[in-house]
PDB file of all heavy atoms in Angstrom:
ATOM      1  N   SER A 185      23.356 135.020  87.841  1.00 97.00           N
ATOM      2  CA  SER A 185      22.377 136.026  87.463  1.00 97.00           C
ATOM      3  C   SER A 185      22.200 137.069  88.580  1.00 97.00           C
ATOM      4  O   SER A 185      22.664 136.932  89.577  1.00 97.00           O
ATOM      5  CB  SER A 185      21.017 135.323  87.198  1.00 97.00           C
ATOM      6  OG  SER A 185      20.255 135.074  88.501  1.00 97.00           O
ATOM      7  N   LYS A 186      21.407 138.128  88.211  1.00 97.00           N
ATOM      8  CA  LYS A 186      21.195 139.193  89.166  1.00 97.00           C
ATOM      9  C   LYS A 186      20.343 138.665  90.350  1.00 97.00           C
ATOM     10  O   LYS A 186      20.263 139.351  91.400  1.00 97.00           O
ATOM     11  CB  LYS A 186      20.498 140.353  88.503  1.00 97.00           C
ATOM     12  CG  LYS A 186      19.114 139.928  87.928  1.00 97.00           C
ATOM     13  CD  LYS A 186      18.421 141.223  87.312  1.00 97.00           C
ATOM     14  CE  LYS A 186      17.088 140.826  86.679  1.00 97.00           C
ATOM     15  NZ  LYS A 186      16.151 140.241  87.665  1.00 97.00           N
ATOM     16  N   ASP A 187      19.698 137.509  90.227  1.00 98.00           N
ATOM     17  CA  ASP A 187      18.801 137.006  91.247  1.00 98.00           C
ATOM     18  C   ASP A 187      19.457 136.209  92.309  1.00 98.00           C
ATOM     19  O   ASP A 187      18.869 135.754  93.274  1.00 98.00           O
ATOM     20  CB  ASP A 187      17.608 136.300  90.605  1.00 98.00           C
ATOM     21  CG  ASP A 187      16.848 137.004  89.681  1.00 98.00           C
ATOM     22  OD1 ASP A 187      16.519 138.179  90.006  1.00 98.00           O
ATOM     23  OD2 ASP A 187      16.454 136.587  88.543  1.00 98.00           O
ATOM     24  N   VAL A 188      20.792 135.773  92.017  1.00 98.00           N
ATOM     25  CA  VAL A 188      21.485 134.980  93.010  1.00 98.00           C
ATOM     26  C   VAL A 188      21.931 135.861  94.180  1.00 98.00           C
ATOM     27  O   VAL A 188      22.579 136.858  94.029  1.00 98.00           O
ATOM     28  CB  VAL A 188      22.709 134.412  92.370  1.00 98.00           C
ATOM     29  CG1 VAL A 188      23.514 133.540  93.398  1.00 98.00           C
ATOM     30  CG2 VAL A 188      22.382 133.515  91.183  1.00 98.00           C
ATOM     31  N   ASN A 189      21.477 135.424  95.394  1.00 98.00           N
ATOM     32  CA  ASN A 189      21.800 136.228  96.657  1.00 98.00           C
ATOM     33  C   ASN A 189      22.053 135.290  97.754  1.00 98.00           C
ATOM     34  O   ASN A 189      22.305 134.006  97.498  1.00 98.00           O
ATOM     35  CB  ASN A 189      20.585 137.145  96.977  1.00 98.00           C
ATOM     36  CG  ASN A 189      19.230 136.345  97.167  1.00 98.00           C
ATOM     37  OD1 ASN A 189      19.234 135.162  97.483  1.00 98.00           O
ATOM     38  ND2 ASN A 189      18.146 137.075  97.143  1.00 98.00           N
ATOM     39  N   LEU A 190      22.191 135.739  98.933  1.00 98.00           N
ATOM     40  CA  LEU A 190      22.638 134.935 100.051  1.00 98.00           C
ATOM     41  C   LEU A 190      21.570 133.795 100.349  1.00 98.00           C
ATOM     42  O   LEU A 190      21.899 132.720 100.723  1.00 98.00           O
ATOM     43  CB  LEU A 190      22.771 135.728 101.317  1.00 98.00           C
ATOM     44  CG  LEU A 190      23.354 135.018 102.594  1.00 98.00           C
ATOM     45  CD1 LEU A 190      24.700 134.443 102.250  1.00 98.00           C
ATOM     46  CD2 LEU A 190      23.376 135.945 103.763  1.00 98.00           C
ATOM     47  N   ASP A 191      20.282 134.148 100.172  1.00 98.00           N
ATOM     48  CA  ASP A 191      19.230 133.136 100.330  1.00 98.00           C
ATOM     49  C   ASP A 191      19.512 131.920  99.386  1.00 98.00           C
ATOM     50  O   ASP A 191      19.129 130.834  99.647  1.00 98.00           O
ATOM     51  CB  ASP A 191      17.810 133.748 100.106  1.00 98.00           C
ATOM     52  CG  ASP A 191      17.395 134.549 101.301  1.00 98.00           C
ATOM     53  OD1 ASP A 191      17.917 134.345 102.402  1.00 98.00           O
ATOM     54  OD2 ASP A 191      16.404 135.298 101.209  1.00 98.00           O
ATOM     55  N   THR A 192      19.944 132.274  98.141  1.00 98.00           N
ATOM     56  CA  THR A 192      20.159 131.246  97.113  1.00 98.00           C
ATOM     57  C   THR A 192      21.266 130.270  97.638  1.00 98.00           C
ATOM     58  O   THR A 192      21.026 128.997  97.613  1.00 98.00           O
ATOM     59  CB  THR A 192      20.612 131.813  95.834  1.00 98.00           C
ATOM     60  OG1 THR A 192      19.807 132.850  95.478  1.00 98.00           O
ATOM     61  CG2 THR A 192      20.660 130.756  94.770  1.00 98.00           C
ATOM     62  N   HIS A 193      22.375 130.863  98.220  1.00 98.00           N
ATOM     63  CA  HIS A 193      23.373 129.904  98.700  1.00 98.00           C
ATOM     64  C   HIS A 193      22.981 129.213  99.929  1.00 98.00           C
ATOM     65  O   HIS A 193      23.400 128.030 100.132  1.00 98.00           O
ATOM     66  CB  HIS A 193      24.666 130.785  98.995  1.00 98.00           C
ATOM     67  CG  HIS A 193      25.345 131.172  97.642  1.00 98.00           C
ATOM     68  ND1 HIS A 193      26.521 131.890  97.690  1.00 98.00           N
ATOM     69  CD2 HIS A 193      24.997 130.823  96.422  1.00 98.00           C
ATOM     70  CE1 HIS A 193      26.871 132.088  96.366  1.00 98.00           C
ATOM     71  NE2 HIS A 193      26.007 131.496  95.629  1.00 98.00           N
ATOM     72  N   LEU A 194      22.226 129.888 100.832  1.00 98.00           N
ATOM     73  CA  LEU A 194      21.676 129.156 101.974  1.00 98.00           C
ATOM     74  C   LEU A 194      20.866 127.988 101.575  1.00 98.00           C
ATOM     75  O   LEU A 194      20.915 126.890 102.104  1.00 98.00           O
ATOM     76  CB  LEU A 194      20.795 130.206 102.788  1.00 98.00           C
ATOM     77  CG  LEU A 194      20.171 129.815 104.146  1.00 98.00           C
ATOM     78  CD1 LEU A 194      19.781 131.084 104.878  1.00 98.00           C
ATOM     79  CD2 LEU A 194      18.890 128.916 103.905  1.00 98.00           C
ATOM     80  N   ALA A 195      19.993 128.166 100.563  1.00 98.00           N
ATOM     81  CA  ALA A 195      19.127 127.028 100.035  1.00 98.00           C
ATOM     82  C   ALA A 195      19.937 125.979  99.387  1.00 98.00           C
ATOM     83  O   ALA A 195      19.620 124.777  99.457  1.00 98.00           O
ATOM     84  CB  ALA A 195      18.145 127.589  99.036  1.00 98.00           C
ATOM     85  N   ASP A 196      21.034 126.300  98.773  1.00 98.00           N
ATOM     86  CA  ASP A 196      21.958 125.325  98.179  1.00 98.00           C
ATOM     87  C   ASP A 196      22.354 124.252  99.214  1.00 98.00           C
ATOM     88  O   ASP A 196      22.439 123.015  99.046  1.00 98.00           O
ATOM     89  CB  ASP A 196      23.236 125.909  97.572  1.00 98.00           C
ATOM     90  CG  ASP A 196      23.012 126.630  96.232  1.00 98.00           C
ATOM     91  OD1 ASP A 196      22.052 126.396  95.571  1.00 98.00           O
ATOM     92  OD2 ASP A 196      23.823 127.589  95.905  1.00 98.00           O
TER      93      ASP A 196
END
Side-chain angles (χ1 to χ4, degrees):
S185 81
K186 63 179 177 58
D187 298 319
V188 178
N189 59 20
L190 186 61
D191 281 344
T192 312
H193 285 180
L194 185 162
D196 287 336

